[in-house]
Amino acid sequence: MTDALKYLEKLAARARLEMAPPTRVSSRVLQRLAQDDIPVEQIIRPFAMVTVLAAIVTLILTIQLYDLLSDPLTGLFLLAAEVMP
Amino acid sequence: MNHATAIGHINPKGRLWLTQAASDEDWRDINGSLDGNEAAFERLVKRYEGLIGAQMWRFTRDRTQWEELVQEAFVESYLSLKSFKGKAPFIHWLRRIATRTGYRFWKQQAREKNRRAKIEEMDFQGSVEDQTPSEAAETLHNLLAEMAPKDRLVLTLMYFDDLNVQEIVQRTGWTRSLVKVRAYRARKKMKTMMEEAGFGGG
């Protein structure tokens, strides 16, 4: 083992003796969980709006396509395309 | 009693209550938390906040960030509680979530390019034995902060937490071979970094 890694091993052994500071987080965790119900809805709302917009665009395009296909002249043009060289 | 029936029983609310591996009081509080009992989850937090606090202290030595990380670990554990299957003790599962939380924090720091003291500014002249444990921990933390998050994580678990390969696998979810490769490469990088910085041993 090189000097550098030996040093690292010794440093780590010394560092492991450190006591971490005490902590009390239970009340703050519960507060965050109580608040976290709202952010979930806030995340979902934009996706819901995008989905609605996509549905509207699809509906508009579908209506336009239906109009095009149900136009009597469309049938005539398709027939013409078949018989003409 | 065969293994399947030893897993648990259906509680009055129709949910499977798992009864393996974790202690009785852990199971009582896990099931209570899943049933929406706030006091039950509070007990779980109070039981393990010391251990998780010590674990997250390896991820940052900034007190504000540290408390945030400890809270984050417990919040994530609550949101993932349904996935706890009881195949291992609860604290093992909790530690894995905490590790994931800390790792994500380092990756975010790396993206924001928040850097600690450069290795060239560190003093390696004194003997390790002359350092207090806190000073040694600060030095080790700053050394490891020079590494990319994945290298930093494997070395933190190896050196700070003194974990073996299998324990690192359990803590991270990485495969055994990945842990070995990462550990080897990370140690090599650390050695090179320290030698380039003029390290003279201690």
Side-chain angles (χ1 to χ4, degrees):
Chain A
M1 196 184 291
T2 64
D3 281 343
L5 293 181
K6 276 185 192 167
Y7 176 85
L8 211 55
E9 292 276 347
K10 285 167 74 174
L11 189 67
R14 193 92 182 131
R16 284 195 288 271
L17 299 175
E18 186 195 32
M19 297 283 289
T23 182
R24 287 187 171 74
V25 295
S26 55
S27 56
R28 276 166 286 167
V29 168
L30 292 175
Q31 274 174 15
R32 280 182 65 165
L33 287 172
Q35 289 167 3
D36 270 0
D37 289 339
I38 298 167
V40 169
E41 290 173 359
Q42 286 176 345
I43 290 166
I44 289 174
R45 198 171 294 130
F47 287 108
M49 287 171 64
V50 167
T51 307
V52 167
L53 280 171
I56 291 170
V57 167
T58 305
L59 184 63
I60 291 170
L61 289 175
T62 304
I63 291 169
Q64 287 178 343
L65 186 60
Y66 176 78
D67 281 345
L68 180 66
L69 291 175
S70 62
D71 188 318
L73 287 178
T74 305
L76 182 64
F77 292 142
L78 288 173
L79 181 63
E82 275 181 34
V83 301
M84 290 180 71
Chain B
M1 183 185 290
N2 65 28
H3 180 72
T5 54
I7 288 175
H9 61 274
I10 305 295
N11 77 347
K13 294 188 182 182
R15 197 174 56 72
L16 177 67
W17 277 42
L18 299 168
T19 52
Q20 273 191 343
S23 67
D24 288 344
E25 59 180 357
D26 277 350
W27 275 122
R28 187 189 60 231
D29 291 330
I30 289 165
N31 288 320
S33 302
L34 289 171
D35 281 338
N37 184 336
E38 208 173 85
F41 189 66
E42 189 176 9
R43 284 193 295 272
L44 274 176
V45 174
K46 284 182 174 172
R47 195 171 300 139
Y48 293 111
E49 60 190 353
L51 289 175
I52 300 301
Q55 182 178 342
M56 303 319 282
W57 189 236
R58 304 306 186 205
F59 288 92
T60 180
R61 295 180 77 80
D62 178 296
R63 292 270 181 140
T64 306
Q65 287 175 344
W66 168 63
E67 289 185 355
E68 270 294 313
L69 285 182
V70 179
Q71 290 172 43
E72 190 83 29
F74 279 111
V75 167
E76 197 166 321
S77 75
Y78 178 82
L79 298 174
S80 306
L81 208 48
K82 280 182 195 167
S83 69
F84 177 63
K85 300 297 179 212
K87 290 179 184 173
F90 182 67
I91 183 58
H92 289 192
W93 180 85
L94 195 53
R95 282 197 184 280
R96 191 154 157 171
I97 288 183
T99 301
R100 198 167 62 209
T101 302
Y103 185 43
R104 201 166 52 229
F105 169 70
W106 281 345
K107 288 200 283 187
Q108 186 187 359
Q109 270 195 324
R111 279 196 294 273
E112 292 168 359
K113 299 192 186 337
N114 287 336
R115 305 298 281 171
R116 289 213 168 251
K118 296 293 183 190
I119 193 169
E120 292 82 8
E121 295 163 15
M122 293 180 199
D123 178 20
F124 297 119
Q125 300 310 312
S127 156
V128 170
E129 287 76 15
D130 292 338
Q131 297 183 39
T132 64
S134 281
E135 287 167 344
E138 183 82 30
T139 304
L140 183 59
H141 186 267
N142 289 338
L143 270 173
L144 296 179
E146 293 291 306
M147 320 234 26
K150 62 180 189 296
D151 297 325
R152 187 179 179 182
L153 181 59
V154 74
L155 292 186
T156 295
L157 295 175
M158 272 178 67
Y159 285 109
F160 256 127
D161 291 343
D162 201 20
L163 300 185
N164 60 32
V165 169
Q166 188 53 35
E167 287 166 332
I168 295 173
V169 167
Q170 286 169 355
R171 191 71 70 87
T172 59
W174 295 338
T175 62
R176 196 176 173 85
S177 54
L178 186 59
V179 169
K180 284 183 173 178
V181 164
R182 281 192 173 160
Y184 172 77
R185 286 180 183 166
R187 278 157 56 95
K188 201 171 162 191
K189 279 183 205 171
M190 175 58 75
K191 171 179 161 294
T192 304
M193 243 173 34
M194 290 173 74
E195 288 169 355
E196 281 175 358
F199 169 75

